[in-house]
Amino acid sequence: MHEIPKKNYVILFFTAVTVVVVTFILMNIYNNQPKNYHSVVKEVINEIKIDDLENYLQENRDVVLYINDSTKENHQLGEQVKKLIVDNNVQQYFVYIEKNNDVSQRYNLHKHNLALVAYKDGEVAETFDEPEYTIEEIESFLVRNEVIESD
């Protein structure tokens, strides 16, 4: 019977230890990456990029921009807005835009999480950008801008 050199066992041991260490390092890097969050409202409305907004507004003259930073979203309010949109069947009047510096500067938005911008005939009719708000205030905004009918 052929004897296996001890050098091969040492190489196998160091290879196995290296694989385990590299695996833990890569797992740690992966777990420390920023998490991708998603807005619950994006489940029912379309999303566009700010670069595509002009083209979108040429085709859709009456629209509400739902501007949000999904990494900081208030999920309870997001669920309520989603329900409001679905219950009133107004998904076609909304479009989601992820909030970033370009969007904030374009609409002069504050640091608050959620902002709504209503367009009528291709022009900004009203901007809703408050530090805190309730679903009732959002519903009132949508009624004022004739997206939904008042009860």
Side-chain angles (χ1 to χ4, degrees), residues 77-91:
L77 182 65
E79 286 289 343
Q80 292 173 338
V81 172
K82 176 183 168 183
K83 183 177 179 347
L84 178 68
I85 291 170
V86 171
D87 287 351
N88 289 285
N89 196 27
V90 291
Q91 295 92 325

Side-chain angles (χ1 to χ4, degrees), residues 44-96:
V44 295
I45 64 175
N46 294 323
E47 179 180 9
I48 64 169
K49 304 292 182 205
I50 191 67
D51 299 337
D52 301 327
L53 183 60
E54 291 303 320
N55 292 336
Y56 185 84
L57 290 173
Q58 288 176 357
E59 297 172 15
N60 303 283
R61 309 287 290 163
D62 298 333
V63 68
V64 175
L65 303 181
Y66 184 93
I67 302 170
N68 192 25
D69 181 353
S70 59
T71 62
K72 300 175 184 171
E73 182 177 42
N74 175 341
H75 289 284
Q76 182 179 2
L77 182 65
E79 286 289 343
Q80 292 173 338
V81 172
K82 176 183 168 183
K83 183 177 179 347
L84 178 68
I85 291 170
V86 171
D87 287 351
N88 289 285
N89 196 27
V90 291
Q91 295 92 325
Q92 71 276 13
Y93 294 107
F94 280 85
V95 65
Y96 181 93

Side-chain angles (χ1 to χ4, degrees), residues 14-32:
F14 283 116
T15 303
V17 168
T18 303
V19 167
V20 169
V21 168
V22 168
T23 301
F24 278 108
I25 290 171
L26 292 175
M27 183 181 69
N28 193 24
I29 290 170
Y30 176 79
N31 288 336
N32 289 331

